[in-house]
Structures are given as structure tokens and as C-alpha cells.
Amino acid sequence: MAVIVTVEIPGGTEEQYEEIMRLFGDVDWFPADGLIAHAAGPDGEGGWKVVDFWDSEDRFLAFVERARPIMERAGISSMLPTVQQAVNVIVR
């Protein structure tokens, strides 16, 4: 079952996000299995927000375990993910 994952990163910045994406470029497992789509941007309240679509919650959680050291290296230690069932995902 596909899921929508929304990750709130209080105090997160575009610079931190760009560093994370640069570091992901150095690993052979990114983009991770199960990732359908990814979007990120400022949350309007001084932080950063990520919205992903995954083919399952288990695959998202497996990704988090691998990605956590990279995120911490970029200075992200606090994330607030929520996971919801996706009824439909359309990618153009």
C-alpha cells in the first residue's frame, strides 16, 4: 500500500537540505527502493518540509535507518514524520 510521508524539520534550512542531497549523491542506494516521488521546501514557519510518496511504510522506515547518519552529519537531528495511506498517486 502506497503512503504519503510528510516530514517536518523545525529550524531546517535549504543549505542543510542541499548538503543532504549532495551526500546522498555519494551513496549507491539513493534514490532508495520504494521511493515514488519527493518534494521539499520551506515550511513558512522557519523550518523545512519534505513530502514523499513511498510504496510502503516499511520501505520508508528502512530508508530512514540508512539516511539518519547522513542527516545528522548535515545537522538535522530532529524530524517529525507522519505517514498516511495514499489512495492514489499520479506521477507525470
Side-chain angles (χ1 to χ4, degrees):
M1 164 186 55
V3 294
I4 304 163
V5 178
T6 305
V7 180
E8 303 283 344
I9 305 170
T13 66
E14 183 172 356
E15 292 76 18
Q16 288 172 312
Y17 174 76
E18 289 174 354
E19 175 67 4
I20 289 167
M21 296 308 290
R22 186 188 70 72
L23 293 169
F24 280 158
D26 294 338
V27 299
D28 62 356
W29 50 263
F30 187 83
D33 289 339
L35 178 64
I36 298 169
H38 169 85
D43 68 4
E45 298 178 8
W48 201 252
K49 181 183 283 192
V50 175
V51 178
D52 285 349
F53 295 88
W54 289 83
D55 65 6
S56 73
E57 184 173 1
D58 288 342
R59 286 223 170 141
F60 165 68
L61 294 173
F63 164 74
V64 169
E65 288 306 310
R66 291 179 106 176
R68 181 171 283 128
I70 289 173
M71 291 183 267
E72 289 174 351
R73 184 171 165 193
I76 302 295
S77 59
S78 175
M79 297 177 294
L80 307 170
T82 59
V83 179
Q84 302 166 263
Q85 177 183 353
V87 174
N88 193 12
V89 178
I90 299 171
V91 178
R92 186 168 83 151

